[in-house]
Amino acid sequence: MSEVAQLQLIALSIVGMGILILLFIKATFVRVTGFVFIVLGLFSLMSLAVPQMASLPPAEEKIDLASIKTPTDIAAIGQTVFFSKGQCALCHSIGPSESARCPDLKGIGAKLSKDFLYESLTDPQAFIYQDFRHGGAPKEYPATMPAINKDPIGLSKNEIMAVIAFLQQMSGEPISVSLKDLEIPGQAPSAPVKAAESALVADAQAN
């Protein structure tokens, strides 16, 4: 017996109990209790009659490697992931916004390397980058960045690389993500990149 069927049986039992109370009990308070049982039982039955929907993880964005001819094609897929399964736009803005719950991503593809971005998306707490070039203390944000390769978002490596390509494209930078960065079905996934510290050193040397 399914869980829904068990709950329906319990609701029917409650309704039946309420009916028996109304039929055989004369005490006013007890009869009111029986009426409440009937109402609650019927309400439960109506609620359980509504079709139940299973909560499933978002479907993976289908990336046909054969159809990808240029890095721009990868960025186009990344744009779709950014605004749909990735849920990035729920917290991040692309451009200044007072309502943003996380940092503005405008120009982020020009500030951080591909490897740095990958690590920031899959292990957000590995390295906290603070930009002190603006005036005053760094802005505090109400939301905490999750690891987007894990539940509940659960992006695949290919989806993450596509998002990085999109971030680079919207920053006006050459897209450094290529087909060789994507996983081919059937092949073992490559080891995760740890590049935050090296990227910081490179940034310091450039300045």
Side-chain angles (χ1 to χ4, degrees):
M1 182 182 295
S2 67
E3 183 178 353
V4 173
Q6 292 176 355
L7 293 174
Q8 289 175 329
L9 184 59
I10 293 173
L12 283 172
S13 300
I14 293 174
V15 172
M17 186 182 301
I19 293 174
L20 290 175
I21 290 174
L22 291 180
L23 289 175
F24 298 105
I25 304 298
K26 300 300 182 182
T28 303
F29 176 77
V30 179
R31 290 175 64 84
V32 170
T33 303
F35 178 76
V36 171
F37 280 4
I38 293 174
V39 172
L40 290 177
L42 291 175
F43 180 79
S44 299
L45 286 173
M46 288 188 293
S47 300
L48 293 169
V50 176
Q52 304 297 306
M53 297 183 63
S55 179
L56 301 174
E60 182 174 342
E61 184 70 22
K62 294 187 180 299
I63 300 178
D64 182 8
L65 299 182
S67 67
I68 297 176
K69 305 301 181 184
T70 66
T72 303
D73 296 332
I74 303 176
I77 297 171
Q79 182 175 4
T80 300
V81 175
F82 184 95
F83 289 104
S84 57
K85 179 184 175 183
Q87 305 177 45
C88 311
L90 291 179
C91 296
H92 291 282
S93 63
I94 302 177
S97 173
E98 292 299 324
S99 61
R101 302 173 64 238
C102 286
D104 173 17
L105 295 182
K106 183 178 181 180
I108 194 70
K111 296 177 182 178
L112 303 177
S113 69
K114 173 181 65 179
D115 293 340
F116 195 115
L117 286 170
Y118 185 86
E119 183 176 38
S120 297
L121 293 172
T122 57
D123 190 6
Q125 305 305 314
F127 188 87
I128 306 300
Y129 180 81
Q130 293 182 323
D131 187 354
F132 292 99
R133 287 173 289 185
H134 57 71
K139 183 177 179 180
E140 297 291 337
Y141 292 92
T144 301
M145 175 72 182
I148 65 171
N149 59 327
K150 299 178 181 178
D151 292 336
I153 299 176
L155 296 188
S156 67
K157 180 183 177 181
N158 287 355
E159 290 172 326
I160 294 172
M161 298 308 298
V163 169
I164 293 173
F166 169 63
L167 294 176
Q168 291 177 333
Q169 182 187 56
M170 73 171 188
S171 301
E173 289 292 299
I175 301 173
S176 62
V177 178
S178 63
L179 275 173
K180 68 180 182 180
D181 295 309
L182 304 181
E183 290 181 348
I184 300 175
Q187 287 190 357
S190 57
V193 179
K194 292 290 183 181
E197 294 183 4
S198 61
L200 183 64
V201 171
D203 184 56
Q205 291 175 345
N207 294 330

